[in-house]
Amino acid sequence: MLTAPGTATPLLDGMPRQRTVPFPVAPSAPPVPAPAAPAARPGVRAQGLLPTLTDTPFTLGYAAVLVVTSLFAQYADPSLVHTLYQESSTDVAHLVSSPALVLVASALWIAGGLTSSYALLFLLVLPTLERRIGGPRTAVVFLLGHVLATLATEVPVGLAVMVGHLPDSSLHRLDYGISFGVAASLGALAGLLPPWARWTVLTVFGGILLDDLAQFTDPLSNWGHLLSLAIGMGTWPWVRRWQWTGRQDARAHG
């Protein structure tokens, strides 16, 4: 084995000694900046605010039914429409004879038609709530307001008739529409808003309901709207939990 002169360092047989002078390193090129993400177009952002079958199937399906029944009520024979209203009414007589049928049928009509204030609230409130907690849970909130507020206003009427404080004619009245369910949905949605928006919405809407009650034009319906709003507010612990669960599921599938 060969060794370097004057040292004991062995060299490989027949191999020249390796140089220790490093080779020059080319200077690194400056980093190329990543291209900036294109700004979102206003049209695309606006489309994301509109309800779609993907994220609001319950609202759009229900809205389609309400459009059909409202157009029918507008253009069909008035006597036929009045008969259907009477058969769909959640008055005491119908609640005793066919409660499930009239509770469903009464929610298929819009009192005042497509231009009523509750029709507009339906299109604003239900899609927003459904995006946050899902369609089945939105339906549960709506039905809670619709059913419980109806029973809370009609059962006292039946009891008052039984004890003689109201005439028998009070058992038969027109009581139909989506307003109780919409009011409950608004009350539930308020619990998911930031505090300043939550109390602004409740103050404005609650003030309108109290003003309607003070005018005493339809006290049963007015009390029902206030009760529906309170029922929706009572669902805050559940809708907040449902919203958190929905976000966790979205992250897990994201």
Side-chain angles (χ1 to χ4, degrees), residues 174-185:
L174 286 181
D175 187 9
Y176 63 90
I178 61 172
S179 58
F180 288 175
V182 172
S185 300

Side-chain angles (χ1 to χ4, degrees), residues 13 23 71 189 212:
D13 294 343
F23 290 98
L71 291 176
L189 178 61
D212 291 341

Side-chain angles (χ1 to χ4, degrees), residues 130-235:
E130 184 172 0
R131 280 195 177 104
R132 291 171 177 253
I133 66 174
R137 291 163 178 169
T138 301
V140 168
V141 173
F142 185 94
L143 287 174
L144 277 177
H146 177 69
V147 173
L148 295 183
T150 297
L151 296 177
T153 52
E154 293 296 341
V155 169
V157 172
L159 295 176
V161 172
M162 288 179 60
V163 298
H165 291 320
L166 288 176
D168 291 346
S169 59
S170 300
L171 301 176
H172 305 274
R173 57 186 295 271
L174 286 181
D175 187 9
Y176 63 90
I178 61 172
S179 58
F180 288 175
V182 172
S185 300
L186 177 61
L189 178 61
L192 304 178
L193 300 176
W196 66 268
R198 175 189 314 146
W199 298 114
T200 300
V201 168
L202 292 177
T203 300
V204 173
F205 187 64
I208 294 174
L209 297 183
L210 289 174
D211 182 67
D212 291 341
L213 182 61
Q215 295 179 18
F216 212 71
T217 54
D218 189 359
L220 279 182
S221 295
N222 298 145
W223 274 116
H225 293 146
L226 285 170
L227 288 172
S228 301
L229 182 64
I231 290 169
M233 294 172 65
T235 65

Side-chain angles (χ1 to χ4, degrees), residues 6-254:
T7 68
T9 305
L11 298 176
L12 295 177
D13 294 343
M15 293 294 294
R17 188 176 181 183
Q18 302 299 310
R19 300 181 60 182
T20 58
V21 179
F23 290 98
V25 179
S28 59
V32 179
R41 291 178 297 174
V44 175
R45 184 174 298 176
Q47 290 176 0
L49 297 177
L50 298 176
T52 65
L53 283 175
T54 303
D55 56 2
T56 56
F58 168 71
T59 299
L60 288 183
Y62 193 5
V65 173
L66 293 174
V67 168
V68 171
T69 58
S70 297
L71 291 176
F72 177 85
Q74 183 175 355
Y75 295 106
D77 180 69
S79 60
L80 173 60
V81 173
H82 184 71
T83 301
L84 291 175
Y85 283 163
Q86 286 182 320
E87 295 300 320
S88 303
S89 176
T90 51
D91 55 25
V92 176
H94 284 105
L95 287 175
V96 171
S97 60
S98 53
L101 176 62
V102 294
L103 283 171
V104 173
S106 63
L108 301 180
W109 308 94
I110 303 178
L114 294 174
T115 59
S116 69
S117 58
Y118 279 98
L120 177 60
L121 281 176
F122 178 96
L123 295 176
L124 293 175
V125 172
L126 264 74
T128 307
L129 183 62
E130 184 172 0
R131 280 195 177 104
R132 291 171 177 253
I133 66 174
R137 291 163 178 169
T138 301
V140 168
V141 173
F142 185 94
L143 287 174
L144 277 177
H146 177 69
V147 173
L148 295 183
T150 297
L151 296 177
T153 52
E154 293 296 341
V155 169
V157 172
L159 295 176
V161 172
M162 288 179 60
V163 298
H165 291 320
L166 288 176
D168 291 346
S169 59
S170 300
L171 301 176
H172 305 274
R173 57 186 295 271
L174 286 181
D175 187 9
Y176 63 90
I178 61 172
S179 58
F180 288 175
V182 172
S185 300
L186 177 61
L189 178 61
L192 304 178
L193 300 176
W196 66 268
R198 175 189 314 146
W199 298 114
T200 300
V201 168
L202 292 177
T203 300
V204 173
F205 187 64
I208 294 174
L209 297 183
L210 289 174
D211 182 67
D212 291 341
L213 182 61
Q215 295 179 18
F216 212 71
T217 54
D218 189 359
L220 279 182
S221 295
N222 298 145
W223 274 116
H225 293 146
L226 285 170
L227 288 172
S228 301
L229 182 64
I231 290 169
M233 294 172 65
T235 65
W236 284 0
W238 291 277
V239 296
R240 287 168 176 169
R241 188 180 305 116
W242 291 340
Q243 178 180 236
W244 182 85
T245 303
R247 287 177 176 175
Q248 293 297 107
D249 293 341
R251 290 174 183 172
H253 293 87

